[in-house]
Amino acid sequence: MYVAVKGGEQAILNTHKMISEARRGDPAIAELTLTQISEQLRLAVDRVMAEGSVYDRELAALALKQAQGDAMEAIFLLRAYRTTLPRIAMSEPVDTSRMTIRRRISATFKDVPGGQVLGPTYDYTHRLLDFELAAEGLERVRATSAAEPLEENVPRVVDLLHHEGVLQEDNDDGNDEVFDLTRQPMSFPAGRDQRLQSLARADEGFLLGLAYSTTRGYGFNHPFVGELRLGEVTVEIVPEELGFPIAIADVTVTECQMINSFQGTAEQPPQFTRGYGLTFGHNEGKAMSMSLVDRSLRARELGEDVRHPAQNEEFVLSHADNVEGNGLITHYKLPHYVDFQAELQLVRQLRAEYEAARAVQTKEAAE
Amino acid sequence: MTVRSDTSFRSAVSTDAPLKPGFADPVFDSQAVFRDLLVATAYPGRIVSLDRKLTAPRPFSSATAALCLSLMDFETPAWLDTGLDNNELTAWLRFHCSLPLTKTAANARFAIVSDPANLPPLQAFHQGDVEYPDRSTTLIIQVPSLADGPAMTWMGPGINGSIKVGIAGLPPQFWTDWDLNRELYPRGIDVFFTSGNDLIGLPRTIKVEA
Amino acid sequence: MSGTMNTDLGGDGYNFAFLDEQTKRMIRRTLLKALSIPGYQVPFGGREMPLASGWGTGGLQVTASVLGPNDRLKVIDQGADDTTNAVSIRRFFHTVANVAVTESTEQATIIQTRHRVPEAPLKEGQILVYQVPEPEPLRRLIPRESETRKMHAYAEYGTMQVTLYEDIARFGRIARTYDYPAIVNGRFLMSPSPIPKFDNPKIANNPAMQFWGAGREKRIYAVPPYTTAHSLDFDDHPFEVQSWKGCCALCGSTMSYLDEVITDDKGSRMFVCSDTDFCTTHQAKAAAQTKVVGEHS
């Protein structure tokens, strides 16, 4: 009996074997290597690192391989692995104005100090399937480099606006203890540190939908891309025994500073406000969505009416994590027959009472 | 896959006297002591003899030391009635628990009173917040005996009916303070009494009558 | 799950019971505070586990923090030891803690459960760990945590009473069959997790320790031994539990929670105990007494 829901250990072990078979596919085809994945599926690896909150291309590639390319499953694998890692140190704040730029654009000025740098982007590719790619051993296309390298420190566009006073300053001096989403339960109202951490590892699609909604009347955002930049930044720590910072890694990040107009209130002068987005790897859609949602979640702080989903921090932050959301939704696959039996009993009883009452009514009407 | 116990190593600290040891096996000793603490909290008033025995730094008893090793770390600022001048004790707590010590009782997650004569009013400690009553101080009071003091009747969650408990050495105002503590419920502090290698739990829910 | 456990890149194995010692200490402190404030949901820094959230990660973290080498662990889902997720969780602990496992309620020192309280009475010292998908009993009425937290702070539970009374007005009874809210120790409104209301009376004044772990929502709460847990009701509509006309088709029990099993496509069905250990034990006792098992319904 109960073959459908009761599975022995043997059956479970067999599912592991079956998934392993499905993962490998046709054994006559060469197996993917982790290097192939991390080199040639770069953006998939970037997304898994960002939402998995571990900067390690090899592990992310392994997760993708193990998950047969399912980003959410790969993110979950990386998160679970992350739990077991000891915490060695807290890094110093990363300075993105010292980024080694590969791409950098601003929509707010025709030209900006340091220049507009298009870099590697799909933006102006025509989305035509490239059948040449279907063939293997294609000759490698090489981009031409400029004669002069980019300046080393390219100033951030928003910093230029600060000098004029028309853009609201961020008051955080970086000295306060930072909330740690991976060690502390979320609490509301959330500080901006908690919010940005949550958004940085939030599901890309969920953020995109929310950000989209703010531009269609479900919010008050009038966004300008102050700056979007992609490149490598240096992560530093200060070991107790040294007392000065040492570099431990260079990581690729995408940063978006979104500028929004703001009318001002009695307390605050008219000025532009900011939304901030930062992700591991190359992930522009995510960084832009994040900066829009960050701005829209500042509604309360800026004295705006909280009327729309993207302004409601409990709604957004509680539902943004795809490991949590996916877990709860898929748990409905688990047996629920005890509760279903309880509900079945009740519905049968209510149904019998309903039929009895109707029978009486029909009889009365007939008389 | 191998199962190992996580024996975290630390570099030696140079002190004049050699530091008293902590748990021989941090993973399993902490677990065993925690289970005793769980039983003591779940069944208030019962004397629970700890499974592990320690050579504790003065003036701590074995039970007080075991409780510290089992529950405290860098996330739990602690207050000591001995002050912070007892170098052997503070070095031991810092070394084995990475314990931050605070001079302000109201900021303490744990407070350790090794001589009940030094016990401040209970209201000096963190009472918990209205929305987060769990943030209150847990107080450890080391007493001369858990049985030879005046017999009091304890009632409340974890106690089947009532139980007689004779904690010795408490200052006279302690039980008056305890009544005030109960009035704050669900805020309020929670207590462990320790003596030798034994302890008794007194969570905030327990009503105590003479 | 096993895929994660086999990941070899970390070099050496995992810590006993998977969690690192600092995490265990944090959860242990939470468990003690939970016992000190019965029914109150203590927030804790829940970790990401190698099991999907919603699949018992809260229970898993509680169990991992209390578990020791001398324990005997029982894991049930829907009352059964052989349901898939119960098997999977039991395997997890067998792998990461090498702990002894049992199907016997009586012999278990720790029982992790989803959706049921065992039928056999528990004893002092035993630990029952419930898996909880949604710890907040008011959540379906009030989605915002900032509001429900205030309601608990000031014991404002009128909204829940009104909701239940609306059921009575509409259906003539409280139309809640599982996850039936109870007031613990006269103070905190608590979700017993999605157990059938049949099991609610077992929570009250139980000699064992009971903990609820909600991993995704990062909350832990407890009912200490010998503590009241009053299922909400009204004077004119007192709380009552499910009952069945027949008895278990396998062991003949008339006092256990029964699952309905469809036996063919013509609508035939039978009822059997949801608690597999209880049913097996009951069958063995009945066989020993060579009594004839009662007729099927």
Side-chain angles (χ1 to χ4, degrees), chain C:
Chain C
M1 192 175 83
S2 78
T4 313
M5 302 312 305
N6 292 337
T7 299
D8 220 358
L9 289 178
D12 49 8
Y14 291 91
N15 194 26
F16 177 79
F18 184 77
L19 297 174
D20 61 279
E21 290 305 299
Q22 202 279 326
T23 299
K24 286 186 202 167
R25 263 194 309 275
M26 176 272 297
I27 294 174
R28 287 168 181 168
R29 293 193 294 261
T30 308
L31 292 168
L32 296 178
K33 285 295 180 192
L35 281 172
S36 301
I37 319 168
Y40 163 76
Q41 301 164 49
V42 189
F44 78 110
R47 304 295 197 247
E48 271 150 330
M49 302 299 285
L51 181 83
S53 38
W55 293 56
T57 54
L60 208 66
Q61 290 179 80
V62 172
T63 301
S65 305
V66 299
L67 194 69
N70 301 328
D71 279 307
R72 274 182 311 280
L73 177 70
K74 173 181 166 80
V75 184
I76 49 172
D77 187 341
Q78 314 294 299
D81 297 89
D82 59 351
T83 33
T84 43
N85 207 39
V87 171
S88 166
I89 290 174
R90 194 164 49 235
R91 253 192 90 231
F92 174 77
F93 281 114
H94 188 68
T95 313
V96 299
N98 199 21
V99 69
V101 294
T102 179
E103 295 194 358
S104 160
T105 300
E106 200 189 341
Q107 284 172 19
T109 55
I110 302 172
I111 302 171
Q112 180 166 331
T113 180
R114 176 171 170 265
H115 291 196
R116 280 305 315 274
V117 180
E119 307 285 6
L122 300 178
K123 296 169 298 191
E124 283 193 356
Q126 283 184 305
I127 297 171
L128 183 59
V129 180
Y130 298 76
Q131 299 172 198
V132 185
E134 173 52 76
E136 179 49 71
L138 300 163
R139 186 61 72 234
R140 275 189 277 176
L141 315 177
I142 316 277
R144 293 175 76 97
E145 161 75 9
S146 41
E147 283 176 44
T148 49
R149 188 150 283 275
K150 282 198 178 64
M151 293 164 80
H152 287 294
Y154 301 104
E156 284 172 6
Y157 297 134
T159 322
M160 180 57 90
Q161 292 281 359
V162 168
T163 308
L164 297 183
Y165 205 81
E166 281 169 358
D167 275 4
I168 293 173
R170 201 163 153 217
F171 304 115
R173 60 174 64 72
I174 296 173
R176 283 219 176 201
T177 58
Y178 63 93
D179 203 354
Y180 193 106
I183 295 269
V184 177
N185 190 33
R187 176 58 177 79
F188 282 100
L189 186 70
M190 185 192 90
S191 154
S193 83
I195 56 172
K197 63 178 181 175
F198 180 88
D199 286 339
N200 269 31
K202 298 179 197 161
I203 292 174
N205 297 309
N206 196 311
M209 298 169 257
Q210 299 175 80
F211 296 100
W212 283 259
R216 201 175 34 78
E217 300 284 344
K218 300 183 175 62
R219 298 288 185 273
I220 285 171
Y221 50 103
V223 173
Y226 310 115
T227 300
T228 59
H230 178 79
S231 303
L232 290 186
D233 63 355
F234 299 92
D235 288 343
D236 49 347
H237 284 89
F239 174 78
E240 53 186 29
V241 300
Q242 287 97 345
S243 59
W244 286 259
K245 289 197 188 90
C247 60
C248 170
L250 301 176
C251 76
S253 167
T254 53
M255 47 193 279
S256 57
Y257 190 91
L258 301 182
D259 294 330
E260 182 172 336
V261 184
I262 298 173
T263 50
D264 59 26
D265 57 0
K266 313 234 164 33
S268 309
R269 53 201 54 182
M270 65 174 186
F271 289 85
V272 295
C273 290
S274 105
D275 184 333
T276 46
D277 174 57
F278 175 83
C279 195
T280 320
T281 313
H282 208 237
Q283 285 177 57
K285 272 186 199 157
Q289 291 168 3
T290 58
K291 276 188 178 172
V292 180
V293 173
E295 302 254 346
H296 302 173
S297 59

Side-chain angles (χ1 to χ4, degrees), chain A residues 68-341:
Chain A
Q68 300 179 57
D70 180 340
M72 249 192 260
E73 182 68 23
I75 289 161
F76 181 12
L77 287 168
L78 211 50
R79 290 265 194 99
Y81 177 72
R82 185 186 195 283
T83 299
T84 66
L85 299 176
R87 187 153 307 209
I88 295 161
M90 294 280 270
S91 74
E92 294 293 290
V94 163
D95 185 355
T96 52
S97 74
R98 288 167 54 202
M99 178 187 283
T100 311
I101 300 261
R102 281 197 280 142
R103 168 165 164 78
R104 185 267 189 141
I105 53 165
S106 170
T108 47
F109 296 99
K110 185 172 183 187
D111 201 4
V112 280
Q116 307 262 16
V117 182
L118 287 185
T121 174
Y122 282 93
D123 285 354
Y124 306 103
T125 61
H126 302 129
R127 266 62 173 212
L128 304 171
L129 273 179
D130 181 356
F131 293 104
E132 284 186 11
L133 267 183
E136 284 170 40
L138 204 64
E139 201 177 320
R140 193 173 165 210
V141 178
R142 296 205 69 112
T144 41
S145 322
E148 302 268 314
L150 290 172
E151 288 166 48
E152 218 156 85
N153 292 341
V154 178
R156 288 176 299 203
V157 173
V158 291
D159 295 337
L160 306 173
L161 285 170
H162 275 155
H163 300 311
E164 206 186 322
V166 292
L167 180 67
Q168 192 186 36
E169 291 265 10
D170 271 346
N171 298 321
D172 190 351
D173 55 10
N175 289 332
D176 290 341
E177 201 174 312
V178 178
F179 185 89
D180 186 345
L181 189 65
T182 64
R183 321 279 287 186
Q184 294 164 266
M186 240 191 246
S187 63
F188 299 107
R192 202 169 179 201
D193 48 354
Q194 180 185 335
R195 180 205 311 156
L196 289 174
Q197 278 174 42
S198 169
L199 297 179
R201 52 196 235 150
D203 182 81
E204 185 181 315
F206 181 74
L207 284 194
L208 177 70
L210 283 171
Y212 184 38
S213 76
T214 66
T215 67
R216 291 192 64 265
Y218 292 89
F220 307 102
N221 276 356
H222 303 283
F224 300 94
V225 174
E227 184 172 357
L228 181 67
R229 55 166 67 191
L230 160 73
E232 281 65 45
V233 289
T234 302
V235 179
E236 295 174 329
I237 61 167
V238 180
E240 285 284 347
E241 60 271 29
L242 293 183
F244 55 83
I246 55 165
I248 54 163
D250 282 329
V251 300
T252 303
V253 295
T254 310
E255 182 188 55
C256 178
Q257 303 244 28
M258 197 66 85
I259 299 174
N260 295 262
S261 54
F262 170 65
Q263 309 295 328
T265 62
E267 290 81 35
Q268 306 213 40
Q271 58 191 336
F272 292 108
T273 55
R274 282 203 279 182
Y276 186 74
L278 182 76
T279 75
F280 278 156
H282 185 188
N283 205 334
E284 294 178 20
K286 168 75 179 278
M288 291 179 72
S289 302
M290 175 176 170
S291 61
L292 280 166
V293 174
D294 171 49
R295 170 58 187 83
S296 107
L297 289 176
R298 296 179 67 193
R300 188 172 34 85
E301 164 201 341
L302 297 171
E304 297 168 347
D305 275 352
V306 175
R307 298 216 306 252
H308 305 295
Q311 297 171 311
N312 182 332
E313 68 170 9
E314 278 211 41
F315 176 78
V316 174
L317 302 187
S318 305
H319 303 114
D321 191 288
N322 58 28
V323 174
E324 289 176 0
N326 192 38
L328 191 80
I329 294 306
T330 56
H331 111 281
Y332 291 112
K333 285 187 280 195
L334 291 178
H336 280 76
Y337 57 81
V338 162
D339 291 348
F340 185 72
Q341 175 62 209

Side-chain angles (χ1 to χ4, degrees), chain B residues 27-50:
Chain B
V27 171
F28 295 119
D29 292 355
S30 298
Q31 187 273 338
V33 170
F34 166 70
R35 282 290 279 277
D36 293 332
L37 294 169
L38 194 70
V39 166
T41 309
Y43 302 95
R46 296 193 198 180
I47 297 177
V48 178
S49 295
L50 296 189

